[in-house]
Every structure is written in C-alpha cells, then in structure tokens.
Amino acid sequence: MPTTNFDVSGIKQSIVGKLQRYYGVTVKTATPQQRYKAAASTVRDQIMQKWMVSREQRAHAQGKRLYYLSVEFLMGRSLNSNLINLCSQDAYQEAFRELDIDPNALMIEEPEPALGNGGLGRLAACFLDSLSSLDIPSMGCTIRYEYGLFRQKIVDGQQVELPDMWLANGNVWEILVAEDICQVHFGGEIREAVVDGRRVFTLENAYTIDAVPYDMPIVGYDTDCVNTLRTWSAHSREGFDLKTFGRGEYDKAMDEMKMAEVINKVLYPEDSHWEGKMLRMKQQYFFVSATLQYALKDFKRQYGGDFDLLPEKVVFHINDTHPGLAIPELIRLLIDQEGLDWEPAQRITHRCVAYTNHTVLQEALERWPQDMMRQTLPRIYMILEELNRRSCEKLFTFYPDQWDRIGQMAILAYGQVHMANLCVALAFSVNGVSQLHGKILTEGLFHDYYMTDPAKFSAITNGITHRRWLLSANPGLTKLLRETIGDGFYRDAQALEKLLPFAEDAAFRQQFDAVKRINKQRLSQLTQRRQGITLDPDFIFDVQAKRLHEYKRQLLNALHIQVLYNRIVEDSGYDAPPRLFLFGAKAAPGYYRAKLIIRYINALAKLIDSHPRASKFLKVVYLENYDVSTAELLMPAADISQQLSTAGKEASGTGNMKFMMNGALTLGTMDGANVEIYEQVGAENIYIFGMRAETVEGMYREGTYNPMAIFETNGEIRRALSQWLDGTLFPDEPMALQDLYHMLLMGDMGGMADAYFVLKDFGSYSMANRRMMEDYQNREIWQKKAIVNVAKSGFFSSDRTIREYNEMIWKIR
Ligand code: 26V
C-alpha cells in the first residue's frame, strides 16, 4: 500500500493533486472553499493512517473503553486543532506559503459544527481532545443534527435566528460506517409470553428507524491515539417502507418516513429551561439505543457473551441526564436481547454507568410525562416501573415511613419520570463540575441520596483544552511563551507556572502587552468584516460572553454601564480610562426576557454612541453570533472577564478559564469555578464581589429580600431604572423594558422580585469595578496580575480534569 509522506513537498503535491482531480482547477483558479477542502482532506489522509493503527491497537490491547454520551458536542472547527495535535502546523504553514495560499482565508472556509448550546457541549468537546491526548480509548456519541444551533443576527437591536446549515457543503471530517447501521424502535405494544419457563417480552407494531453512524477522528496531541466521535443519523428503513405501503397503509408508511426525517433535524436551542417535548425524548432515546447496541456488538465481537465482564471492558459516561435512558436501555438489551435475568442485568448496568450533573436550576431538570414515555417507549417504561419499585423499596429501609421524602427521590412520581433521580439512583458514580457545585449537590439537590451512599459522589472541576484555547487561539502569546519558558506547556499545561518570575520582568511585560494589542486588532478585523464596527485597541476590552440567561446577570453589567453613562453625562470633570464593553450571547428563541435584555444592551450602545463625551469613555458592542470560532478570537483580546452569576447558580463555567488562560482578569462572584480561580491566583489577582452562595440560599429561605428598598435608597439605580420607562432608551417605544422593570421591583406571576439579586449585588459590583479601574491605570500592576493569571491557568487544562475522571471514576488502564 502506498503511504504518503506528509512533509512539505508531500503536502503540496497532495493539495495540488486533489484540486486537479476533484475540481479540475489549479491553486490559483481554485475558490477558497476548494482550497480548504483540498487542504483538509490532505490532513484527513494523514489522520486515516493513524486512525487505522489506533483501532487495531485497541482490539489487540483488550482494554476498557469509555463511551461518552452527550446530546451536545460543540466541536468548533477542526483543521487548525488537528494540525496542532499532529504536530504538523509548521509543515502545512510552509506548504501554504510556497503555494501562495493564505492560511487564514482558508481556515474560515470550514463551517463550524455547532452541535451544542453552550458550556455542557463545549466541555464534551474539550474532553475528547484530552482523552485522545492522554491515550484513553474512547468514543464520543451523539446525534448528527442536520441543523446546529441557530445563527444569530442582530437587526434593529434585536436577535433574529437563522438556520445553521452546516452540512450544506459536505463534511470533510466524517465517514459513514455502513456496517454499524442498526435499528431503533418506537411505539407499539408489548407482548408477554413464557418461553422455556422464562417470561419474554416482544414489541409489536412499532415504528422502526435506521440509525446510521458517521465517524469523525479525534486526534490526540503528539500521540498515535486517534479516537472517534460518532454521530448518529436517522433514516427511514430502505427509504420508504414498501411493505407497509403495499398493504395500503399509506399514512403509516408516510409517518415513519416523516418521523425518521425529523428526529435528527435540529438541535434544541434551549439550554436552561426544560420542556417535555416528545421529539426531544425521541432524539435522546434514538442515539442512546444505537450507541448501546453498537457497544454490545463490539463487546461481543471481542469477548463473546460473558456479560459479567462488561463493567471491566466498558464504561458509559452520561453527560447530564439527557442520555439517562441508557440505564433502562442497557437493562432492556441485556434481558430481551441477551437473555439475562433482571438481577444480573441491573447489577451489570449499575457498574457500567457514571453520571455528571451540570446544573442545579430546577427549571432545567428533566422530567418526562409518564404517559408520553409509556406510549413512545413502552418497554423502557416497564423497566422504569420495575426500577422505581426496587429503588423505593430500598429507600424505604433507609428512610422508613418518610413517604414525602421517598416521593421526592422516586424515579416515577406525580405523573413524571424524574431523570436526575434515575441517574443518581442507578449510576455507580455521580459527580459535580466544580468544588462548590459538588458541595451543593451533596448538601442540597441530592442530599437525601448522598446520605444513602456518600461514596459514589465526587466533585471534579471542569477544564478546557489548552491546545485549542491557548496554542491554537492565541498564536502570538504561544510564541512569546515558547521563547520565554520553552515548549513544555504544550504537553503539560502546569508548566505555565514557569512564567511566574517573568511577571517581574519589564521587558517581558512589554512584549506581553504588545501581543494583547495585536489580538485586539485581530478581533477588530472580525467585527469590521461582520458588523462594520472598528474596535479601538486603546480601550480596555471588557467582555461578557456566554449564553444569555437571567442567572448569568448580563443585566447587572448593562445596568452598571448605564450608571457609568449617567455619571459621565452629569459630571463634566469625569475621568477614567476608556472602556469597551463587549457582549457575546445567544438567547433561547422562546426566552422573552433574555431577548429583552439583548434589546436593552443594544439600546444602551446606541445611547452612548450618540453622546459625544460619553462615547470618549465608553463603548458597547454586541458581537453577533457568538460561537466557538468567535470565542477563539475574543478570549485572546480580553482584558477583563465578567463572570457575574448569582452565587450558587453557575455549576462551573468554563469561559472563565479560557479568559484567564489568555491573560484577562476576572471580575466575578464566588460561584462555580470562579472560586478555584480565586484559589489559584490569590485575592490580589482577581476582583470578587457580591453575596456568597450560603447568603443567597439564606435569603431565598427567609423570603425577606426587598429590592424596592434598594430602589428607594440608591439614587443612581433609581435614576437608571426610571430612564427605562421615560423614553431615554427607546424614544419610540418608552415601555419596551416594562417587563424587566416589573421583574426587578415587583416580581411576576407570584414569583419573587429580582430573583437573581441584581439590585442586591449592584453596590458591591460597582465598588469592585472602581477598584479594578484604579488598578488598570497602573500598567505595571495590571500586567503583573494578568501574567500571574496565565501562569496559574494550567490547573484548568482539561488534561487534569480527565486524569481525575479516570483515576476516580473510569479506571481505564
Ligand atoms: C439543559 C437542558 C435542559 C432541558 C432542555 C435542554 C437542555 C439542554 C442542555 C442543558 C444543559 C444545561 C446544563 C449546562 O449547560 N450546564 C453548564 O455545564 C457547564 C459544563 O459543566 C458548566 O460549566 C456550566 O456552569 C453549566 O451551566
């Protein structure tokens, strides 16, 4: 077999050859998209050789394999991160140079697979990178959504959603794996029979859908390990079920086709508010069932039918409760397909499944209507009933006669299937994503379960892949670091600590500053191209980038900007360094209040722009369509990272880590992983404000919080809120922000006023801002703090996170 040599001349030959063979063009006449395809498929060829070897090695080694199940993987573009992990960046750069190809123009031709909403999906993507880099055999499993998260436009200050057709030009990185196509069944009725003295269950009159897997390679950094991201696509059987059609059941034949077509059509864009949508449940079961069928097939191929061996060879990690039906589905497969009895099936399943919780927000916890589950997945529902019966029986011995408590802990209760309870009761491991979040799980949300089995709970702080978020996203800083402390941090992010002494080195600080400036200009090119806005690198770049949600408190930031504006307007002697506030956030399309906050921010931007003096000190820019690629340009340009969630609400946050690693200082609450950033850098290198989580909890319990009292006593807040209703912000529609006003001061529909304590924390936030601006004006002090942040960010590499998961949970090799 001819093997290609991927040195500079081999790369050039391959690119030129592909352009000629695929498109009949030369490098000069090719479109940027054609050049991208030719380059990317060259990289793919290079990966293929490793991928094959990796698969053979895994089969040979007979080790344990991790299946990471997640409804979201927010991968971002692959080309550059693959080049980095293959250690081929230099060779390709040189090949591009010699072919006169602009690498940047080529990279942006890659459509970004936006198969995720936010933190949870991006974490899954970072994990895959670390798993391969640490040589841990693993497969990410998810749904091949035809449409990823919507693209966002801002029109007249408002969010408009557009479809994300990321597959329109094909996907260079995936291959269809025909031999692993399998079937998933929905609906129908259960028939029970006794065969050889054993009760057997069969499903009749079900809808059957083909699950078609597409595999994407996940390359590890400087290693031979290439793992797989498998995305499942739904197809109707043989296109159109002719048998059904032939029987004259046209409607049914059509229904099946429609259902198959729709199942992987679109990613749901809500990431904080759960709704019992039948289609979403079908999506989840679809990819879970297909994944488990494949995993058992692969297991049997290697080890035959000894399923007691399964927990030694396989671990299924479920990313939040969304893939939680893996639990009853594995039991179903072991019993109905493999012929095991209930007890061994449940015992084996328990030992194979681990669960991570990612949110404690009540409204985000999944609870399916029991009727819906019974109709759509009758056999799964039967198994849930049995699991519930056994689980409640066990709980009853631990909490005798405490029926209320057991009702709260039950898998089935009050007409609903409670997914978190299912996962906590049945998984062998339950973990939180930061120290604080872990504590809230064991002391709050899952406390009653914690008391029954404390050993299975853990907290493992999230991480980010420093290869994408530093090496790839910030080439300027990476180069400077390599020249200063060597390239040890490429492999081991903790080596960034070597940077610490250079905080005292004035020459280094100056270079560090120069890199930041260039990164600001890079970002400005993006906003210029996309929105026609130029950013002034002399401004402080102060960024809040994350999904738009009340608990994340973009409103606190905006309200404070408005107060600053008023100070400037009123005080002709006002002086402060000029500050650019950048917002990047998508709102769930049905989240009215979040969309209103977007309007508010854009109205503020306009108000400030139209004031000659205020616009010398302040600028607000709403970055359109915040996604992974935007983040990669945004993080390296930031001076300030705003992490304002109400304490106790943000499970971890991972954007906070990306900013830190790129030298931004955090302005934040003691929430999620901000707490650990604080511990890493020390109090003098971070700006902490606001109530602590316990205080917040206490205020909810007591119910005595009265934001109106703050409104009455704080003139700056009163002035700003009054401007919401007097036409200052929306001259043509003075009542536009009425809902926000009401929410803050009166509460809505019986809910408490200002439930996220925006007004309560405002004073402390404002003070922290003041401290920060004073420090910023002393360049030396500020630069030192920024450098300490980079130096201490190694802890937040997802390599550390994955090592901890493996030591504490998966125990692979
Ligand atoms: C929740 C839901 C609720 C039901 C509707 C659909 C849907 C889709 C996604 C989610 C995920 C919400 C949980 C989430 O994204 N949590 C975030 O996880 C990050 C990674 O652990 C963490 O850093 C963030 O703090 C946390 O909000």
Side-chain angles (χ1 to χ4, degrees):
M1 192 184 70
T3 57
T4 318
N5 204 354
F6 293 96
D7 55 13
V8 176
S9 91
I11 294 165
K12 281 169 60 185
Q13 247 174 43
S14 166
I15 293 177
V16 172
K18 282 171 193 288
L19 285 174
Q20 197 177 68
R21 290 195 309 278
Y22 296 176
Y23 308 109
V25 296
T26 64
V27 174
K28 273 212 161 37
T29 60
T31 64
Q33 176 67 206
Q34 290 169 335
R35 283 186 214 139
Y36 158 71
K37 287 262 180 69
S41 49
T42 298
V43 177
R44 186 189 56 198
D45 293 346
Q46 191 176 342
I47 294 170
M48 280 298 171
Q49 298 181 350
K50 283 192 174 203
W51 206 3
M52 255 164 31
V53 176
S54 238
R55 258 195 295 256
E56 281 160 17
Q57 271 174 357
R58 186 180 73 84
H60 180 73
Q62 305 232 321
K64 193 173 184 177
R65 185 192 211 181
L66 163 71
Y67 290 90
Y68 195 84
L69 277 68
S70 177
V71 288
E72 304 189 355
F73 282 88
L74 236 186
M75 299 297 288
R77 293 183 178 132
S78 291
L79 181 51
N80 201 44
S81 61
N82 279 337
L83 289 183
I84 287 178
N85 285 3
L86 291 166
C87 301
S88 293
Q89 225 187 359
D90 293 345
Y92 278 80
Q93 290 288 354
E94 178 57 23
F96 291 148
R97 208 184 53 76
E98 290 178 19
L99 290 174
D100 200 19
I101 292 177
D102 172 3
N104 295 321
L106 178 143
M107 305 265 180
I108 60 174
E109 285 295 316
E110 177 171 0
E112 154 169 347
L115 309 188
N117 272 284
L120 167 134
R122 184 53 232 176
L123 183 76
C126 284
F127 278 10
L128 292 186
D129 186 81
S130 288
L131 283 162
S132 289
S133 299
L134 296 174
D135 290 323
I136 298 177
S138 51
M139 182 184 252
C141 300
T142 190
I143 299 162
R144 186 170 176 272
Y145 302 104
E146 232 171 274
Y147 295 88
L149 187 62
F150 65 86
R151 284 185 303 119
Q152 178 197 54
K153 298 271 322 159
I154 302 294
V155 180
D156 295 332
Q158 291 183 263
Q159 167 173 297
V160 174
E161 300 94 19
L162 303 171
D164 164 55
M165 301 194 283
W166 71 289
L167 287 168
N169 290 322
N171 178 3
V172 177
W173 304 110
E174 68 182 4
I175 51 169
L176 191 157
V177 188
E179 68 265 29
D180 288 340
I181 294 174
C182 60
Q183 282 76 46
V184 180
H185 312 284
F186 295 92
E189 301 103 41
I190 305 293
R191 288 272 170 279
E192 192 179 333
V194 177
V195 178
D196 300 333
R198 196 171 168 274
R199 286 166 77 202
V200 295
F201 301 90
T202 47
L203 189 61
E204 289 179 0
N205 300 317
Y207 287 129
T208 297
I209 288 178
D210 276 339
V212 181
Y214 290 78
D215 285 0
M216 263 179 65
I218 307 293
V219 182
Y221 174 71
D222 193 17
T223 160
D224 289 330
C225 179
V226 179
N227 285 315
T228 299
L229 172 61
R230 171 160 284 192
T231 67
W232 292 98
S233 188
H235 291 248
S236 69
R237 309 226 46 207
E238 292 131 34
F240 187 69
D241 188 349
L242 278 174
K243 255 191 276 161
T244 316
F245 193 74
R247 282 199 302 271
E249 297 174 78
Y250 304 134
D251 288 356
K252 193 177 167 210
M254 298 284 252
D255 281 353
E256 283 184 30
M257 201 162 77
K258 269 189 276 177
M259 167 143 129
E261 278 174 4
V262 89
I263 226 162
N264 65 312
K265 190 59 87 181
V266 61
L267 167 82
Y268 276 96
E270 288 87 35
D271 78 332
S272 53
H273 192 87
W274 176 81
E275 264 187 286
K277 295 246 178 67
M278 167 110 86
L279 182 58
R280 194 179 163 93
M281 190 177 83
K282 286 181 180 167
Q283 287 186 331
Q284 297 179 356
Y285 180 69
F286 166 75
F287 99 94
V288 159
S289 176
T291 299
L292 291 181
Q293 290 182 53
Y294 163 72
L296 289 190
K297 179 173 101 172
D298 184 70
F299 172 83
K300 286 196 285 184
R301 184 162 50 207
Q302 291 200 56
Y303 309 105
D306 179 7
F307 289 98
D308 282 324
L309 207 61
L310 193 67
E312 283 158 49
K313 299 299 179 188
V314 163
V315 54
F316 299 105
H317 201 100
I318 57 181
N319 198 26
D320 217 303
T321 60
H322 318 139
L325 292 177
I327 292 164
E329 176 66 1
L330 183 53
I331 294 178
R332 183 188 74 84
L333 289 168
L334 290 174
I335 295 176
D336 294 0
Q337 179 182 296
E338 307 299 341
L340 270 65
D341 289 334
W342 180 279
E343 278 78 15
Q346 182 178 336
R347 191 186 62 237
I348 290 165
T349 297
H350 163 70
R351 293 180 56 209
C352 286
V353 178
Y355 157 59
T356 298
N357 172 283
H358 293 267
T359 179
V360 295
L361 296 184
Q362 277 301 323
E363 66 270 25
L365 298 182
E366 294 189 296
R367 295 182 172 99
W368 299 106
Q370 283 180 32
D371 295 340
M372 188 195 278
M373 183 85 69
R374 190 188 300 114
Q375 276 172 32
T376 316
L377 304 169
R379 179 64 178 132
I380 292 298
Y381 185 77
M382 270 181 90
I383 292 169
L384 288 173
E385 281 186 314
E386 182 62 13
L387 284 172
N388 184 55
R389 196 184 61 74
R390 289 170 184 250
S391 161
C392 288
E393 212 171 79
K394 217 168 98 185
L395 291 173
F396 189 80
T397 60
F398 200 88
Y399 295 116
D401 288 322
Q402 301 186 38
W403 291 110
D404 267 1
R405 196 188 297 265
I406 292 172
Q408 293 300 312
M409 301 173 77
I411 297 165
L412 304 181
Y414 310 109
Q416 294 183 316
V417 183
H418 195 307
M419 293 302 287
N421 285 349
L422 169 68
C423 295
V424 176
L426 272 296
F428 73 86
S429 159
V430 177
N431 79 288
V433 291
S434 70
Q435 294 308 308
L436 176 63
H437 174 60
K439 194 165 119 87
I440 292 172
L441 289 185
T442 56
E443 293 177 2
L445 192 60
F446 298 148
H447 178 257
D448 292 340
Y449 268 110
Y450 174 69
M451 297 308 287
T452 69
D453 184 4
K456 80 160 138 180
F457 289 81
S458 58
I460 302 178
T461 302
N462 280 169
I464 58 174
T465 168
H466 64 286
R467 285 162 297 262
R468 179 177 292 267
W469 295 107
L470 180 57
L471 310 195
S472 172
N474 200 339
L477 182 56
T478 300
K479 179 161 174 285
L480 175 61
L481 294 175
R482 193 179 51 201
E483 287 161 6
T484 311
I485 59 171
D487 64 5
F489 68 97
Y490 279 43
R491 166 153 297 293
D492 173 16
Q494 304 271 5
L496 286 168
E497 285 228 43
K498 291 191 191 147
L499 198 62
L500 227 35
F502 291 90
E504 302 304 322
D505 179 333
F508 177 79
R509 287 200 301 270
Q510 210 177 357
Q511 290 173 295
F512 187 84
D513 209 31
V515 168
K516 184 66 80 185
R517 201 178 169 81
I518 287 168
N519 289 337
K520 289 179 179 183
Q521 284 157 347
R522 237 177 16 141
L523 180 63
S524 178
Q525 281 165 14
L526 176 84
T527 57
Q528 180 57 52
R529 182 157 41 91
R530 218 195 261 174
Q531 291 168 261
I533 300 173
T534 311
L535 312 177
D536 182 347
D538 285 330
F539 275 52
I540 302 171
F541 279 32
D542 182 327
V543 186
Q544 189 172 18
K546 50 184 75 257
R547 281 301 286 262
L548 215 141
H549 196 288
E550 286 165 274
Y551 86 80
K552 295 179 189 280
R553 297 201 293 192
Q554 281 93 352
L555 191 54
L556 177 57
N557 189 353
L559 183 61
H560 178 255
I561 297 169
Q562 196 184 335
V563 166
L564 290 180
Y565 168 83
N566 285 333
R567 284 183 197 158
I568 296 169
V569 170
E570 270 155 38
D571 175 4
S572 60
Y574 182 95
D575 196 29
R579 191 164 166 195
L580 165 66
F581 294 92
L582 284 156
F583 289 87
K586 289 180 182 175
Y591 191 169
Y592 172 76
R593 204 166 277 164
K595 290 181 140 180
L596 208 48
I597 294 171
I598 295 180
R599 287 189 72 187
Y600 171 37
I601 294 167
N602 283 304
L604 253 180
K606 214 167 143 186
L607 180 70
I608 292 168
D609 279 346
S610 68
H611 193 284
R613 207 159 47 79
S615 55
K616 289 206 170 62
F617 295 104
L618 304 175
K619 181 157 184 74
V620 175
V621 171
Y622 202 101
L623 268 179
E624 240 169 35
N625 199 43
Y626 178 60
D627 58 4
V628 175
S629 311
T630 312
E632 286 168 354
L633 284 169
L634 183 58
M635 309 288 177
D639 296 304
I640 295 168
S641 153
Q642 300 236 22
Q643 306 297 336
L644 314 181
S645 55
T646 310
K649 301 286 181 198
E650 189 70 272
S652 162
T654 43
N656 46 4
M657 305 168 187
K658 294 163 198 166
F659 282 108
M660 175 196 188
M661 195 172 271
N662 285 282
L665 301 199
T666 303
L667 168 57
T669 49
M670 276 298 212
D671 198 18
N674 297 351
V675 177
E676 281 127 298
I677 295 181
Y678 169 89
E679 283 164 3
Q680 289 294 321
V681 301
E684 64 286 6
N685 295 304
I686 187 169
Y687 299 89
I688 296 291
F689 74 95
M691 288 194 286
R692 304 303 190 251
E694 301 92 61
T695 321
V696 170
E697 253 326 290
M699 298 207 59
Y700 282 132
R701 265 198 312 272
E702 288 160 20
T704 50
Y705 173 47
N706 178 17
M708 192 57 94
I710 299 173
F711 179 85
E712 300 289 357
T713 50
N714 184 324
E716 286 193 313
I717 287 181
R718 204 165 51 247
R719 167 120 209 265
L721 293 192
S722 308
Q723 287 170 333
W724 286 10
L725 302 183
D726 70 3
T728 304
L729 287 158
F730 297 92
D732 303 332
E733 198 190 342
M735 298 308 276
L737 298 183
Q738 192 184 28
D739 171 85
L740 290 181
Y741 184 88
H742 263 92
M743 181 272 293
L744 280 184
L745 296 177
M746 275 75 92
D748 62 321
M749 299 188 301
M752 73 182 276
D754 190 15
Y756 298 100
F757 301 103
V758 171
L759 300 190
K760 180 80 191 166
D761 275 346
F762 186 89
S764 159
Y765 177 63
S766 178
M767 299 291 283
N769 266 278
R770 240 186 248 273
R771 275 188 280 133
M772 206 172 60
M773 286 302 100
E774 275 162 23
D775 288 352
Y776 186 86
Q777 276 163 301
N778 186 327
R779 299 308 296 143
E780 183 177 333
I781 288 187
W782 186 271
Q783 290 310 336
K784 283 183 184 173
K785 292 180 197 292
I787 293 163
V788 171
N789 269 267
V790 177
K792 291 289 189 176
S793 68
F795 174 78
F796 296 104
S797 165
S798 46
D799 291 356
R800 188 266 313 148
T801 312
I802 289 297
R803 270 195 205 97
E804 288 182 16
Y805 272 79
N806 198 30
E807 277 158 24
M808 295 164 69
I809 304 171
W810 306 325
K811 304 183 195 299
I812 296 175
R813 262 184 332 196

